Amino acid sequence: MQLLKQDMTSLFVDVGRDWSSKAIIAALDRKGVSLRDLEEELGLKENSIRNVFYRKCERYEEAIGQKIGVNPDVIWPSRYLNEQRISA
């Protein structure tokens, strides 16, 4: 039995919940990008971008979202929930 693409996504990502660091790294890997590649592109010290897994870092979130091909609010909905309510 073949699962639909959206069903496969739910195996790794819970819609409406923040993605795990492993899911983010896997999504970047599928695009051929490593965290180190992003750090070099942004001019960051080694392992600096990992802060994005623990706290809001809009610059890093935006860079990761662009590389994966989704908006940061899809990856970290809890961080953007209040902003969405205010702008609505």
Side-chain angles (χ1 to χ4, degrees):
M1 174 181 194
Q2 186 175 11
L3 296 173
L4 297 173
K5 183 178 180 180
Q6 61 199 67
D7 293 335
M8 293 294 289
T9 303
S10 66
L11 292 173
F12 305 102
V13 177
D14 294 327
V15 176
R17 297 191 68 192
D18 291 356
W19 293 17
S20 70
S21 58
K22 290 181 181 182
I24 294 168
I25 292 169
L28 287 168
D29 188 50
R30 279 193 57 109
K31 297 293 183 173
V33 179
S34 70
L35 291 176
R36 186 65 194 132
D37 294 337
L38 275 173
E39 289 169 339
E40 289 175 2
E41 186 177 310
L42 297 172
L44 302 172
K45 293 180 181 179
E46 191 170 352
N47 296 320
S48 296
I49 202 162
R50 292 182 183 276
N51 285 320
V52 78
F53 298 137
Y54 309 106
R55 64 182 136 276
K56 187 169 183 157
C57 305
E58 291 184 23
R59 180 176 175 218
Y60 303 170
E61 292 168 11
E62 186 63 37
I64 289 171
Q66 285 179 354
K67 292 296 181 183
I68 293 174
V70 299
N71 288 328
D73 64 333
V74 173
I75 302 170
W76 294 280
S78 69
R79 297 179 186 182
Y80 291 88
L81 185 60
N82 291 336
E83 291 176 20
Q84 291 171 354
R85 286 182 185 160
I86 291 170
S87 65

XYZ file of all heavy atoms in Angstrom:
716
model
N 0.834 -1.176 0.000
C 0.000 0.000 0.000
C 0.882 1.244 0.000
O 1.752 1.405 0.835
C -0.880 -0.020 1.241
C -1.688 1.202 1.424
S -2.630 1.010 2.960
C -3.753 2.315 2.752
N 0.651 2.107 -0.939
C 1.453 3.318 -1.058
C 0.761 4.471 -0.333
O -0.431 4.707 -0.503
C 1.649 3.671 -2.528
C 2.579 4.827 -2.728
C 2.844 5.073 -4.200
O 2.178 4.514 -5.048
N 3.802 5.914 -4.484
N 1.514 5.181 0.488
C 0.978 6.323 1.211
C 1.061 7.573 0.353
O 1.965 7.725 -0.462
C 1.757 6.553 2.504
C 1.681 5.462 3.556
C 2.636 5.779 4.699
C 0.282 5.318 4.078
N 0.100 8.459 0.536
C 0.159 9.735 -0.147
C 1.295 10.569 0.428
O 1.711 10.373 1.564
C -1.158 10.489 0.043
C -2.405 9.814 -0.541
C -3.652 10.574 -0.125
C -2.305 9.738 -2.042
N 1.780 11.527 -0.364
C 2.890 12.366 0.075
C 2.596 13.038 1.416
O 3.424 13.052 2.303
C 3.199 13.418 -0.990
C 4.375 14.286 -0.655
C 4.650 15.268 -1.764
C 5.832 16.142 -1.413
N 6.123 17.106 -2.452
N 1.405 13.579 1.586
C 1.088 14.261 2.832
C 1.050 13.286 4.003
O 1.370 13.644 5.121
C -0.217 15.028 2.720
C -1.414 14.134 2.423
C -2.577 14.918 1.862
O -2.552 15.403 0.875
N -3.617 15.079 2.465
N 0.679 12.039 3.750
C 0.681 11.039 4.816
C 2.110 10.721 5.235
O 2.366 10.484 6.405
C -0.028 9.763 4.379
C -1.524 9.973 4.167
O -2.075 10.903 4.777
O -2.110 9.207 3.406
N 3.032 10.695 4.290
C 4.434 10.437 4.599
C 5.008 11.559 5.460
O 5.788 11.318 6.363
C 5.262 10.298 3.317
C 4.926 9.069 2.498
S 5.365 7.555 3.349
C 7.131 7.641 3.245
N 4.607 12.784 5.186
C 5.093 13.918 5.948
C 4.735 13.767 7.416
O 5.532 14.060 8.293
C 4.499 15.232 5.397
O 4.834 15.345 4.029
C 5.026 16.434 6.150
N 3.548 13.287 7.685
C 3.103 13.169 9.072
C 3.900 12.125 9.851
O 3.836 12.091 11.076
C 1.610 12.852 9.134
O 1.364 11.571 8.605
N 4.652 11.279 9.164
C 5.510 10.331 9.855
C 6.685 11.025 10.528
O 7.220 10.541 11.520
C 6.052 9.275 8.880
C 5.039 8.296 8.304
C 5.693 7.425 7.243
C 4.437 7.442 9.396
N 7.081 12.175 9.994
C 8.265 12.877 10.492
C 7.948 14.215 11.152
O 8.720 14.704 11.956
C 9.247 13.110 9.350
C 9.613 11.851 8.642
C 9.047 11.517 7.424
C 10.501 10.959 9.218
C 9.381 10.336 6.786
C 10.833 9.774 8.589
C 10.271 9.461 7.368
N 6.822 14.821 10.768
C 6.478 16.148 11.244
C 5.017 16.149 11.684
O 4.150 15.714 10.941
C 6.673 17.199 10.116
C 6.251 18.571 10.588
C 8.103 17.213 9.623
N 4.766 16.640 12.889
C 3.396 16.809 13.368
C 2.928 18.191 12.953
O 3.496 19.203 13.397
C 3.319 16.676 14.889
C 3.644 15.273 15.380
O 3.326 14.314 14.651
O 4.204 15.149 16.483
N 1.902 18.250 12.101
C 1.392 19.528 11.623
C 0.948 20.366 12.819
O 0.285 19.872 13.726
C 0.226 19.309 10.643
C -0.374 20.636 10.206
C 0.696 18.511 9.435
N 1.359 21.624 12.832
C 1.011 22.524 13.915
C 1.969 22.480 15.090
O 1.813 23.227 16.048
N 2.961 21.606 15.028
C 3.971 21.516 16.092
C 5.332 21.815 15.492
O 5.571 21.573 14.310
C 3.976 20.117 16.703
C 2.642 19.790 17.375
C 2.691 18.562 18.186
N 3.551 18.818 19.345
C 3.992 17.856 20.153
N 3.667 16.615 19.934
N 4.763 18.146 21.171
N 6.245 22.324 16.309
C 7.605 22.615 15.835
C 8.279 21.338 15.352
O 8.113 20.272 15.957
C 8.441 23.220 16.961
C 7.996 24.620 17.337
O 7.089 25.170 16.680
O 8.568 25.166 18.290
N 9.022 21.477 14.251
C 9.776 20.339 13.729
C 10.910 20.015 14.690
O 11.496 20.907 15.311
C 10.375 20.667 12.380
C 9.405 20.868 11.253
C 8.067 21.103 11.325
C 9.730 20.888 9.864
N 7.544 21.270 10.075
C 8.535 21.139 9.154
C 10.913 20.733 9.162
C 8.496 21.217 7.764
C 10.879 20.817 7.774
C 9.684 21.043 7.085
N 11.256 18.752 14.772
C 12.415 18.363 15.575
C 13.690 18.776 14.844
O 13.686 18.988 13.622
C 12.419 16.858 15.810
O 12.697 16.175 14.599
N 14.781 18.871 15.576
C 16.059 19.216 14.941
C 16.436 18.164 13.910
O 16.978 18.492 12.845
C 17.156 19.368 15.987
O 17.297 18.186 16.746
N 16.119 16.905 14.180
C 16.432 15.841 13.219
C 15.630 16.000 11.935
O 16.155 15.759 10.843
C 16.166 14.474 13.846
C 17.147 14.123 14.927
C 16.868 12.761 15.519
C 17.859 12.465 16.627
N 17.673 11.149 17.213
N 14.368 16.411 12.048
C 13.547 16.624 10.857
C 14.087 17.789 10.025
O 14.124 17.729 8.793
C 12.095 16.880 11.246
N 14.543 18.837 10.701
C 15.103 19.994 9.995
C 16.395 19.610 9.287
O 16.592 19.924 8.105
C 15.347 21.160 10.983
C 14.013 21.665 11.533
C 16.135 22.287 10.319
C 14.140 22.603 12.723
N 17.259 18.901 9.982
C 18.524 18.473 9.388
C 18.268 17.534 8.211
O 18.922 17.645 7.170
C 19.430 17.829 10.453
C 19.892 18.907 11.451
C 20.635 17.140 9.814
C 20.561 18.365 12.691
N 17.294 16.643 8.343
C 16.954 15.720 7.243
C 16.411 16.485 6.042
O 16.754 16.178 4.891
C 15.940 14.683 7.718
N 15.573 17.488 6.280
C 15.027 18.284 5.179
C 16.133 19.056 4.469
O 16.146 19.143 3.234
C 13.957 19.243 5.707
N 17.072 19.609 5.239
C 18.211 20.301 4.627
C 19.063 19.326 3.822
O 19.503 19.639 2.711
C 19.066 20.978 5.703
C 18.480 22.224 6.351
C 19.289 22.616 7.581
C 18.434 23.375 5.346
N 19.276 18.145 4.391
C 20.073 17.122 3.719
C 19.454 16.734 2.378
O 20.165 16.554 1.394
C 20.222 15.897 4.627
C 21.185 14.878 4.071
O 22.310 15.274 3.706
O 20.816 13.691 3.990
N 18.138 16.630 2.338
C 17.451 16.307 1.072
C 17.699 17.376 0.009
O 17.660 17.101 -1.181
C 15.956 16.158 1.288
C 15.552 14.820 1.833
C 14.060 14.625 1.730
N 13.576 14.755 0.372
C 13.135 13.753 -0.367
N 13.118 12.552 0.121
N 12.697 13.956 -1.590
N 17.943 18.606 0.462
C 18.228 19.715 -0.460
C 19.724 19.849 -0.728
O 20.153 20.750 -1.445
C 17.691 21.032 0.111
C 16.188 21.051 0.285
C 15.474 21.012 -1.039
C 13.976 21.112 -0.831
N 13.247 21.252 -2.079
N 20.528 18.972 -0.110
C 21.969 18.996 -0.339
C 22.700 20.073 0.438
O 23.766 20.531 0.026
N 22.127 20.483 1.570
C 22.700 21.562 2.369
C 22.930 21.052 3.789
O 22.078 20.383 4.357
C 21.732 22.772 2.414
C 22.297 23.886 3.269
C 21.415 23.268 1.026
N 24.076 21.390 4.354
C 24.351 21.043 5.743
C 24.257 22.307 6.599
O 24.268 23.428 6.077
C 25.747 20.434 5.883
O 26.732 21.429 5.667
N 24.184 22.109 7.904
C 24.193 23.258 8.798
C 25.483 24.052 8.639
O 25.485 25.280 8.681
C 24.025 22.810 10.255
C 22.654 22.252 10.632
C 22.666 21.763 12.073
C 21.563 23.288 10.433
N 26.580 23.351 8.433
C 27.877 24.027 8.237
C 27.854 24.886 6.971
O 28.395 25.994 6.960
C 29.013 22.998 8.196
C 30.383 23.637 8.148
C 30.676 24.408 9.444
N 31.826 25.269 9.261
C 31.876 26.537 9.615
N 30.871 27.110 10.209
N 32.952 27.248 9.400
N 27.236 24.383 5.898
C 27.105 25.171 4.667
C 26.378 26.487 4.944
O 26.788 27.546 4.464
C 26.329 24.403 3.593
C 27.041 23.163 3.093
O 28.285 23.084 3.206
O 26.352 22.251 2.583
N 25.288 26.397 5.722
C 24.530 27.597 6.060
C 25.358 28.559 6.909
O 25.310 29.776 6.705
C 23.256 27.220 6.817
C 22.058 26.841 5.966
C 20.922 26.333 6.834
C 21.596 28.016 5.136
N 26.114 28.015 7.849
C 26.959 28.867 8.691
C 27.981 29.616 7.849
O 28.191 30.821 8.036
C 27.668 28.024 9.759
C 26.735 27.528 10.827
C 27.341 26.484 11.728
O 28.338 25.828 11.337
O 26.813 26.317 12.835
N 28.594 28.932 6.910
C 29.579 29.579 6.047
C 28.915 30.647 5.187
O 29.457 31.735 5.010
C 30.277 28.531 5.182
C 31.213 27.643 5.978
C 31.822 26.518 5.147
O 31.547 26.430 3.932
O 32.565 25.714 5.743
N 27.731 30.331 4.669
C 27.005 31.280 3.826
C 26.624 32.545 4.607
O 26.665 33.650 4.070
C 25.741 30.601 3.289
C 24.967 31.408 2.294
C 23.778 30.643 1.745
O 23.961 29.486 1.308
O 22.670 31.203 1.755
N 26.280 32.370 5.878
C 25.871 33.495 6.716
C 27.040 34.151 7.453
O 26.861 35.146 8.148
C 24.828 33.037 7.744
C 23.506 32.532 7.177
C 22.653 31.929 8.276
C 22.761 33.657 6.475
N 28.240 33.579 7.309
C 29.416 34.127 7.975
C 29.418 33.892 9.475
O 29.867 34.742 10.245
N 28.923 32.735 9.893
C 28.825 32.409 11.322
C 29.947 31.490 11.760
O 30.517 30.764 10.951
C 27.486 31.709 11.608
C 26.219 32.461 11.240
C 25.014 31.564 11.410
C 26.098 33.710 12.079
N 30.219 31.507 13.060
C 31.179 30.564 13.629
C 30.561 29.167 13.615
O 29.335 29.012 13.616
C 31.532 30.949 15.062
C 32.305 32.238 15.163
C 32.627 32.559 16.601
C 33.374 33.875 16.673
N 33.681 34.246 18.054
N 31.430 28.164 13.662
C 30.967 26.772 13.641
C 30.019 26.487 14.804
O 30.272 26.893 15.935
C 32.168 25.824 13.701
C 31.796 24.390 13.428
C 33.020 23.495 13.257
O 34.144 24.022 13.209
O 32.820 22.289 13.172
N 28.942 25.813 14.506
C 27.887 25.401 15.442
C 27.003 26.539 15.942
O 26.114 26.302 16.757
C 28.458 24.625 16.635
C 29.086 23.321 16.204
O 28.552 22.625 15.338
N 30.220 22.985 16.778
N 27.188 27.752 15.452
C 26.359 28.880 15.884
C 24.901 28.716 15.486
O 24.001 29.071 16.242
C 26.863 30.187 15.286
O 28.138 30.491 15.757
N 24.682 28.174 14.302
C 23.310 28.084 13.793
C 22.454 27.118 14.612
O 21.226 27.186 14.589
C 23.291 27.732 12.294
C 21.962 28.173 11.679
C 23.551 26.247 12.076
C 21.982 28.289 10.185
N 23.091 26.258 15.382
C 22.338 25.305 16.213
C 21.515 26.004 17.292
O 20.605 25.407 17.858
C 23.280 24.277 16.835
C 23.864 23.348 15.787
C 24.763 22.303 16.403
N 25.354 21.471 15.374
C 24.764 20.420 14.819
N 23.562 20.067 15.205
N 25.374 19.721 13.892
N 21.804 27.272 17.560
C 20.989 28.045 18.497
C 19.526 28.090 18.060
O 18.634 28.213 18.897
C 21.524 29.468 18.650
C 22.769 29.526 19.486
O 22.879 28.842 20.490
N 23.720 30.345 19.064
N 19.291 27.980 16.771
C 17.927 28.038 16.246
C 17.064 26.894 16.784
O 15.852 27.006 16.830
C 17.944 28.059 14.692
C 18.184 26.673 14.120
C 16.659 28.647 14.142
N 17.687 25.812 17.227
C 16.930 24.691 17.765
C 16.422 24.972 19.174
O 15.539 24.266 19.669
C 17.772 23.415 17.774
C 18.209 22.965 16.410
C 19.504 22.515 16.201
C 17.349 22.984 15.325
C 19.920 22.085 14.944
C 17.751 22.574 14.064
C 19.038 22.123 13.876
N 16.968 25.993 19.842
C 16.634 26.264 21.234
C 15.935 27.591 21.477
O 15.262 27.751 22.478
C 17.907 26.210 22.095
C 18.686 24.950 21.858
C 19.868 24.968 21.123
C 18.209 23.731 22.320
C 20.572 23.796 20.878
C 18.901 22.556 22.073
C 20.086 22.597 21.358
O 20.765 21.440 21.100
N 16.136 28.554 20.577
C 15.535 29.870 20.767
C 15.288 30.530 19.417
O 15.859 30.150 18.409
C 16.409 30.756 21.650
C 17.755 31.093 21.058
C 18.566 31.936 22.035
N 19.942 31.515 22.151
C 20.404 30.555 22.933
N 19.599 29.863 23.674
N 21.672 30.260 22.981
N 14.439 31.533 19.433
C 14.081 32.231 18.205
C 15.273 33.034 17.690
O 15.845 33.842 18.424
C 12.890 33.154 18.461
C 12.361 33.784 17.201
C 11.042 34.464 17.435
C 10.542 35.000 16.098
N 9.127 35.193 16.072
N 15.648 32.772 16.462
C 16.727 33.478 15.768
C 16.223 33.705 14.346
O 16.410 32.856 13.469
C 18.006 32.659 15.735
S 18.616 32.112 17.325
N 15.552 34.822 14.140
C 14.850 35.044 12.874
C 15.758 34.913 11.654
O 15.343 34.368 10.634
C 14.142 36.394 12.892
C 12.976 36.410 13.857
C 12.194 37.709 13.831
O 12.247 38.426 12.810
O 11.527 37.994 14.826
N 16.961 35.405 11.746
C 17.889 35.336 10.606
C 18.175 33.878 10.240
O 18.169 33.505 9.073
C 19.182 36.066 10.950
C 20.203 36.057 9.845
C 21.414 36.878 10.243
N 22.446 36.781 9.235
C 23.731 36.711 9.506
N 24.154 36.759 10.751
N 24.614 36.611 8.543
N 18.431 33.059 11.240
C 18.730 31.648 11.006
C 17.482 30.905 10.521
O 17.547 30.070 9.618
C 19.246 30.967 12.268
C 20.469 31.584 12.909
C 20.884 31.162 14.156
C 21.207 32.588 12.292
C 22.009 31.708 14.776
C 22.324 33.144 12.900
C 22.714 32.701 14.139
O 23.816 33.240 14.741
N 16.344 31.208 11.138
C 15.092 30.569 10.748
C 14.772 30.858 9.285
O 14.359 29.966 8.543
C 13.948 31.061 11.642
C 14.060 30.607 13.073
C 13.101 31.320 14.004
O 12.199 32.031 13.530
O 13.258 31.163 15.233
N 14.954 32.103 8.891
C 14.681 32.492 7.506
C 15.613 31.763 6.538
O 15.184 31.278 5.495
C 14.830 34.012 7.351
C 14.424 34.533 5.998
C 12.956 34.322 5.667
O 12.114 34.435 6.561
O 12.661 34.037 4.485
N 16.884 31.675 6.876
C 17.854 30.988 6.008
C 17.502 29.508 5.868
O 17.548 28.958 4.759
C 19.269 31.146 6.570
N 17.144 28.863 6.963
C 16.776 27.446 6.919
C 15.499 27.264 6.112
O 15.419 26.379 5.256
C 16.627 26.879 8.355
C 18.009 26.780 9.007
C 15.918 25.526 8.344
C 17.980 26.448 10.489
N 14.513 28.115 6.360
C 13.256 28.030 5.611
C 13.464 28.181 4.115
O 12.874 27.443 3.316
N 14.312 29.130 3.717
C 14.592 29.335 2.292
C 15.233 28.105 1.673
O 14.883 27.711 0.566
C 15.481 30.551 2.087
C 14.767 31.863 2.266
C 15.698 33.059 2.085
O 16.911 32.913 1.926
N 15.126 34.247 2.131
N 16.182 27.507 2.377
C 16.876 26.332 1.840
C 15.937 25.131 1.730
O 16.004 24.377 0.770
C 18.085 25.954 2.708
C 19.197 26.965 2.667
C 19.790 27.093 1.285
C 20.918 28.104 1.294
N 21.501 28.328 -0.021
N 15.049 24.970 2.723
C 14.113 23.842 2.688
C 12.989 24.112 1.699
O 12.478 23.195 1.060
C 13.546 23.563 4.099
C 14.670 23.060 5.012
C 12.409 22.546 4.046
C 14.264 22.898 6.464
N 12.593 25.379 1.581
C 11.523 25.734 0.657
C 10.173 25.920 1.333
O 9.132 25.782 0.694
N 10.201 26.239 2.635
C 8.960 26.524 3.369
C 9.178 27.757 4.238
O 10.311 28.119 4.547
C 8.508 25.339 4.258
C 8.220 24.106 3.432
C 9.519 25.027 5.328
N 8.098 28.388 4.644
C 8.201 29.538 5.533
C 8.612 29.080 6.928
O 8.224 27.989 7.358
C 6.864 30.271 5.618
C 6.537 31.021 4.353
O 7.419 31.511 3.661
N 5.261 31.094 4.039
N 9.368 29.900 7.637
C 9.777 29.535 8.997
C 8.605 29.230 9.925
O 8.722 28.405 10.823
C 10.551 30.755 9.491
C 11.027 31.427 8.249
C 9.968 31.169 7.217
N 7.446 29.861 9.691
C 6.301 29.603 10.564
C 5.732 28.202 10.387
O 5.000 27.712 11.246
C 5.213 30.657 10.398
C 4.588 30.684 9.018
O 5.260 30.291 8.052
O 3.427 31.108 8.916
N 6.102 27.525 9.313
C 5.714 26.127 9.125
C 6.627 25.229 9.967
O 6.175 24.254 10.565
C 5.795 25.720 7.628
C 5.567 24.238 7.441
C 4.800 26.530 6.810
N 7.894 25.586 10.047
C 8.870 24.796 10.801
C 8.729 25.039 12.302
O 8.818 24.108 13.091
C 10.307 25.134 10.339
C 10.445 24.876 8.833
C 11.332 24.326 11.129
C 11.737 25.389 8.222
N 8.511 26.310 12.682
C 8.406 26.684 14.100
C 7.083 27.407 14.354
O 7.076 28.608 14.675
C 9.567 27.594 14.496
C 10.891 26.933 14.437
C 11.427 26.093 15.369
C 11.877 27.056 13.404
N 12.680 25.689 14.965
C 12.979 26.262 13.761
C 11.929 27.758 12.204
C 14.108 26.157 12.970
C 13.053 27.645 11.410
C 14.123 26.854 11.796
N 5.948 26.737 14.258
C 4.673 27.439 14.440
C 4.515 28.069 15.825
O 3.889 29.118 15.956
C 3.617 26.356 14.195
C 4.320 25.062 14.348
C 5.757 25.322 13.979
N 5.103 27.481 16.848
C 4.950 28.036 18.196
C 5.624 29.398 18.319
O 5.212 30.230 19.125
C 5.530 27.083 19.240
O 6.939 27.025 19.143
N 6.632 29.647 17.524
C 7.358 30.914 17.594
C 6.637 32.029 16.852
O 6.911 33.204 17.069
C 8.761 30.757 17.017
C 9.607 29.775 17.798
C 10.971 29.618 17.194
N 11.710 28.571 17.893
C 12.953 28.239 17.612
N 13.610 28.882 16.648
N 13.549 27.274 18.278
N 5.741 31.676 15.948
C 5.058 32.659 15.125
C 3.580 32.759 15.445
O 2.882 33.578 14.871
C 5.255 32.340 13.645
C 6.678 32.554 13.216
C 7.622 31.524 13.338
C 7.102 33.767 12.705
C 8.943 31.729 12.957
C 8.413 33.974 12.324
C 9.325 32.951 12.452
O 10.629 33.144 12.081
N 3.101 31.980 16.378
C 1.687 31.932 16.706
C 1.172 33.301 17.137
O 0.167 33.788 16.641
C 1.433 30.898 17.811
C -0.017 30.647 18.173
C -0.790 30.145 16.970
C -0.095 29.638 19.296
N 1.853 33.963 18.045
C 1.420 35.264 18.539
C 1.442 36.325 17.440
O 0.571 37.150 17.364
C 2.263 35.714 19.718
C 2.022 34.862 20.942
O 0.972 34.257 21.072
N 3.009 34.792 21.818
N 2.455 36.281 16.576
C 2.547 37.251 15.478
C 1.392 37.075 14.505
O 0.851 38.046 13.988
C 3.877 37.100 14.747
C 5.067 37.537 15.579
C 6.383 37.281 14.874
O 6.394 37.135 13.639
O 7.406 37.229 15.571
N 0.980 35.831 14.258
C -0.122 35.565 13.348
C -1.431 36.094 13.936
O -2.268 36.634 13.228
C -0.236 34.078 13.050
C 0.889 33.549 12.223
C 0.878 32.036 12.121
O 0.099 31.346 12.758
N 1.761 31.502 11.276
N -1.621 35.941 15.238
C -2.840 36.429 15.891
C -2.906 37.947 15.856
O -3.952 38.532 15.637
C -2.893 35.964 17.348
C -3.214 34.512 17.483
C -3.310 34.132 18.934
N -3.508 32.703 19.062
C -3.259 32.011 20.160
N -2.822 32.639 21.240
N -3.463 30.719 20.198
N -1.781 38.598 16.055
C -1.733 40.064 16.072
C -2.031 40.626 14.684
O -2.771 41.585 14.542
C -0.353 40.563 16.578
C -0.212 40.226 18.054
C -0.192 42.065 16.347
C 1.184 40.448 18.607
N -1.466 39.997 13.632
C -1.641 40.510 12.275
C -2.992 40.150 11.687
O -3.384 40.703 10.670
C -0.506 40.010 11.372
O -0.585 38.604 11.233
N -3.717 39.241 12.289
C -5.011 38.807 11.734
C -6.115 39.793 12.031
O -6.099 40.653 12.785
C -5.382 37.440 12.295
